[in-house]
Amino acid sequence: MVQDVDTHLNDEVHLSPALQTKPASSWGVKVKKRLKIVTPYLGKFRPTVGQCCHQCTPESLGKTPGQKTSLGFHNVVAVDETQIRYRGWLVRRVCCVLFVSGCNVYPSPAGDRLHRVRQCIRVQEALAEEHAAPTGPCCMGNSNRLSPYHSLMNTCISPCFLRFGCWLCLKTLGSVFSSIQVNLNHLAALHQASQQGSPLVYVFMRQSILDYVLVPLVLFSQNLRVPYTFCPQRISFSWLRSILQKVGVVFLPFNALTEDDAEADNMYSPAMTALLRELLSEGQALSVSVCGETGHGGQWLARIRQVIKEGTVPDVSLVPVGISYDCIPDTGLPAGLTQVGLCSSFRCLWSLLWSQPSSSLRVHFAQPFSLKEMCATGRCRVDGWRPLQELLLPAVLDGRTDDVEGQKMMSWILPSQYAPELIQSERDLSTALTLHLIYSTTSCMAVMSTGLVASLLLHRHRKGVFASALCRDVAWLTEELLFRNKDVGFGGSLPEVVSYALVLLGPRITVVSTTSRLAPLKDPFVIPRPSLDAITSLSVHAQIVTHSFITEAVGACAVSAMLYEVAGSGVSSRVRRSKVHAEEVKSDMEFDVALCEMQLTQRTLQLCHLLPPGFVPPCQSSYSFALDAVDSLVRCGILVMEEVTRDAPVCDLWRKHRGLSSWPTTDDPDHSDSDCEEPDARSYKLSRPSHCPEMIFFLCSMLAGHLRALCWATEGVQHLATPMPVAECVAQIHSHLRNRAKQDKHYESCTEEAARIAVRTLTELGVLVEERQGSGTSLAVGPLFQLADNRQKLQLFISQYLYS
């Protein structure tokens, strides 16, 4: 919305209902005219993203194709006569049909795949367990038992259906997105990997129903093998299901509404493992999705690992795929919907065709890496995993900080009902693989202009900002992202990028045209709308920026917690170190405070255990991540090392000669004199640049939504009438979060996703305890946290990381 106001910068701008109904067609042009054109920083270099892990897969890392020059980007939906062999007026009218007909297709008929699956040993064993006598009258029962999976086994890739489907997707997505960009350097690596013989398995994060269409479409347009796509949806209409199965889409069986229902069937896991075995033996590519919130999708990676371990297939190459949207289009089908009917299909198609082709998206294919190299060499370690209760409860209840090292165990990613044939060690290794792919997929996503602007509006300029100042912050944040080897999905002049992002974020923001007495030109004032839908949408857009600054955000929250403790004690740490008593800290925060490195690292380590999956690299220890978080604040200029005066020089030879040194004597050949030096208790203090407090608050705000939801959920435990089913518990916690958000106006902490993550974290901490009741699971308040004092301690422990 646009409003003309003759005023200076106000803390808050309230628009009347009449002004809120004014059209917003001209303010995008005003931004372009009022702002100075700035040379884009993006032309200097483009970071290399998507490289595989140097610790877990060093051999795959060395197979990177040595491209000395950038091949640029390709718009998949921009099909013209330059991509085909013919020219002319008529060719330009039918160039999309000619392009689709000229692409390479690798047919994959079903053949006798169903018979081979029936003969699989694990399928026969599963049938024998359900029927005491597998011969005689039970043979017909065995055949009927596999009948829900017959259509899944007959899934194939038909060239005619595939060409028609890709033509239809190009036309449909061309009306939805202005461009679908893909990096040609990444595609060159895929072509090289496809020629090495190992099947490719593409892994992407679940965001929208369009994700399952984009990966096959991009691969088809680049003459790569189209994968079999495992889609956790249930199509109720048989004709639609039959058509989609002829382009390689594997759905849930007829008798299952959700993934949990399918996995509860004893025949589902053996049948799907046998299907994967047959597809990989044929050399087919696969496409699976994972969900960082629930962990769904990890069971497919576990089954692929099982096939590799059996030796049926020597190896596969995993390819993380990052899909970045400017704005996820409204398809009428949320990502969590599992049952699709005829009405919902027409609603999805109508929503897509009705939308304007304004937004764009970027698809990044990361470097392929060997699954066998990662899991069989022992580089992916899972032996240091510990329950969250052991890691944090001593610090929460007793204030102990000597037992927080270790990796947090996340058994909920691959529970026992998923792939029940796996032993615990194999299950842990599959969980580690899933976590690694969640992190890799998120890391290779590009930061779009909408995410960058949303992060600034939500975490730095909550009360509004002038467009000119917003442009300066966008240029600064873009440089910081590129410095952290994070690619961005936009280009062009700075005013064009900001104007484009503000247009796409139009329903979530308010733009006020203001006139300053000092400036004759109008500088638009941008304010995020203080509503639930607007703040929630901005929070979703800003998550990718939070992932990029996670080390700095964790370190800043730890610094904020220590400053909060110093302010609460009323005595400056600098004064305590100088042994001067009774000096009170002034009401305005005294920044000349010394922060002990060991305490700061401990606070950072404790906060690491509260983060959801996808933020911390799974192959990096939590303690190493905590040290990196502290070092990142030094690199940012927020902290500086404080010099410590030593009583004796570092090289005190007389002290060693007199036997006063504490250096031990050892014959270990790997022993070093530097290992014997007594470590100094180093400390940090805040630097004095004027932007330091603002930078700390900006970084702390990135994690404030997650931490505030945990605080509110801990507070709401006392209102739960436990035991109750898990879904009902999540619903009640979600209702409590919404009520608190209406009071405090922090709507980013009251989403349903935040409620599910909070309930899971409280379960891992022992606040809620799982109890088996019949066929379901219920949650009850743990005996330790039935005491109000313990719940209060946990709430204070979490709230210390929230800045105020």
Side-chain angles (χ1 to χ4, degrees), residues 385-654:
W385 287 7
R386 299 170 58 189
L388 188 59
Q389 300 182 42
E390 297 182 6
L391 294 172
L392 285 186
L393 285 190
V396 172
L397 302 180
D398 303 329
R400 294 165 46 195
T401 59
D402 55 345
D403 200 27
V404 295
E405 295 186 22
Q407 297 293 101
K408 180 175 67 173
M409 181 182 297
M410 287 179 277
S411 57
W412 53 268
I413 289 183
L414 194 63
S416 57
Q417 61 266 26
Y418 282 26
E421 65 273 7
L422 295 178
I423 60 177
Q424 188 60 40
S425 59
E426 295 294 325
R427 189 177 303 277
D428 291 342
L429 197 55
S430 299
T431 301
L433 176 63
T434 305
L435 290 172
H436 207 293
L437 285 169
I438 291 175
Y439 177 79
S440 300
T441 304
T442 307
S443 300
C444 69
M445 289 182 180
V447 179
M448 310 303 284
S449 59
T450 50
L452 195 142
V453 173
S455 179
L456 290 172
L457 292 177
L458 191 63
H459 302 311
R460 190 163 189 169
H461 304 295
R462 194 66 174 262
K463 295 184 179 181
V465 60
F466 281 116
S468 56
L470 180 61
C471 283
R472 290 192 295 268
D473 286 347
V474 166
W476 161 77
L477 192 55
T478 301
E479 293 186 6
E480 293 292 332
L481 289 170
L482 295 174
F483 174 75
R484 287 162 177 79
N485 204 33
K486 193 73 175 180
D487 199 5
V488 292
F490 54 87
S493 65
L494 188 56
E496 292 175 350
V497 170
V498 176
S499 175
Y500 173 76
L502 293 179
V503 169
L504 293 179
L505 296 175
R508 295 96 175 171
I509 62 176
T510 300
V511 179
V512 183
S513 181
T514 60
T515 304
S516 174
R517 299 191 185 99
L518 301 178
L521 297 179
K522 295 181 179 179
D523 193 0
F525 192 72
V526 185
I527 319 165
R529 288 184 176 273
S531 63
L532 173 61
D533 295 337
I535 298 300
T536 301
S537 179
L538 291 176
S539 177
V540 172
H541 282 92
Q543 283 181 357
I544 186 64
V545 180
T546 303
H547 278 272
S548 305
F549 285 85
I550 187 60
T551 53
E552 292 84 355
V554 171
C557 289
V559 170
S560 177
M562 295 191 69
L563 293 178
Y564 176 80
E565 181 182 2
V566 171
S569 64
V571 180
S572 137
S573 66
R574 174 185 59 84
V575 174
R576 289 197 299 269
R577 290 178 66 254
S578 301
K579 298 182 180 180
V580 178
H581 303 284
E583 179 180 339
E584 300 293 331
V585 178
K586 299 180 181 179
S587 58
D588 53 341
M589 175 60 69
E590 180 186 357
F591 285 100
D592 191 11
V593 177
L595 306 176
C596 177
E597 180 189 33
M598 183 177 62
Q599 295 181 5
L600 184 59
T601 304
Q602 291 292 340
R603 296 291 179 92
T604 306
L605 184 58
Q606 294 169 5
L607 180 56
C608 291
H609 299 317
L610 293 176
L611 296 178
F615 286 97
V616 181
C619 55
Q620 182 181 13
S621 67
S622 299
Y623 187 77
S624 176
F625 180 83
L627 294 177
D628 289 345
V630 176
D631 292 340
S632 66
L633 297 182
V634 179
R635 291 193 302 268
C636 290
I638 297 177
L639 296 179
V640 294
M641 182 74 69
E642 187 181 42
E643 297 183 1
V644 179
T645 305
R646 306 173 62 102
D647 297 334
V650 176
C651 299
D652 194 342
L653 301 179
W654 179 87

Side-chain angles (χ1 to χ4, degrees), residues 2-238:
V2 181
Q3 179 186 6
D4 292 329
V5 181
D6 186 8
T7 180
H8 293 291
L9 175 60
N10 299 322
D11 293 336
E12 296 182 0
V13 179
H14 302 280
L15 301 181
S16 62
L19 291 174
Q20 290 181 359
T21 60
K22 292 181 64 178
S25 59
S26 61
W27 65 264
V29 180
K30 289 183 180 180
V31 172
K32 294 180 182 179
K33 291 182 177 179
R34 301 296 186 261
L35 298 179
K36 180 181 178 182
I37 300 298
V38 180
T39 303
Y41 184 82
L42 307 183
K44 294 185 177 180
F45 74 97
R46 180 165 296 279
T48 302
V49 298
Q51 289 185 330
C52 55
C53 181
H54 68 279
Q55 177 177 336
C56 300
T57 54
E59 297 179 6
S60 299
L61 182 63
K63 298 179 182 179
T64 306
Q67 242 117 15
K68 297 183 180 179
T69 59
S70 175
L71 300 179
F73 288 83
H74 172 67
N75 186 5
V76 175
V77 295
V79 180
D80 52 25
E81 59 180 339
T82 61
Q83 303 179 38
I84 55 180
R85 296 178 296 173
Y86 310 101
R87 298 291 183 272
W89 174 83
L90 182 61
V91 170
R92 286 193 292 271
R93 299 297 182 271
V94 294
C95 61
C96 188
V97 176
L98 296 176
F99 171 75
V100 170
S101 62
C103 291
N104 295 335
V105 175
Y106 302 87
S108 175
D112 61 342
R113 187 184 300 152
L114 177 60
H115 175 71
R116 296 196 302 268
V117 169
R118 284 178 175 175
Q119 300 301 319
C120 179
I121 297 178
R122 291 188 180 275
V123 174
Q124 294 293 332
E125 291 177 351
L127 291 173
E129 290 179 0
E130 294 193 358
H131 302 280
T135 59
C138 292
C139 290
M140 184 63 65
N142 291 353
S143 178
N144 295 335
R145 189 68 182 85
L146 282 175
S147 59
Y149 306 101
H150 288 176
S151 61
L152 304 184
M153 305 306 165
N154 291 325
T155 303
C156 62
I157 295 181
S158 171
C160 296
F161 280 93
L162 182 61
R163 294 186 191 277
F164 174 76
C166 289
W167 172 83
L168 183 62
C169 290
L170 285 174
K171 288 297 184 180
T172 304
L173 295 181
S175 64
V176 177
F177 301 102
S178 59
S179 66
I180 300 178
Q181 299 288 338
V182 59
N183 195 328
L184 295 179
N185 290 78
H186 299 167
L187 295 175
L190 289 182
H191 279 285
Q192 178 180 347
S194 62
Q195 297 173 1
Q196 295 177 356
S198 298
L200 298 181
V201 178
Y202 302 93
V203 184
F204 58 92
M205 292 285 290
R206 299 180 184 178
Q207 302 177 75
S208 169
I209 191 68
L210 295 179
D211 299 340
Y212 301 94
V213 180
L214 289 170
V215 175
L217 178 63
V218 172
L219 297 175
F220 171 81
S221 65
Q222 299 301 315
N223 295 318
L224 288 163
R225 184 182 293 272
V226 174
Y228 280 80
T229 303
F230 290 83
C231 182
Q233 308 286 335
R234 181 180 180 271
I235 305 297
S236 56
F237 283 86
S238 58

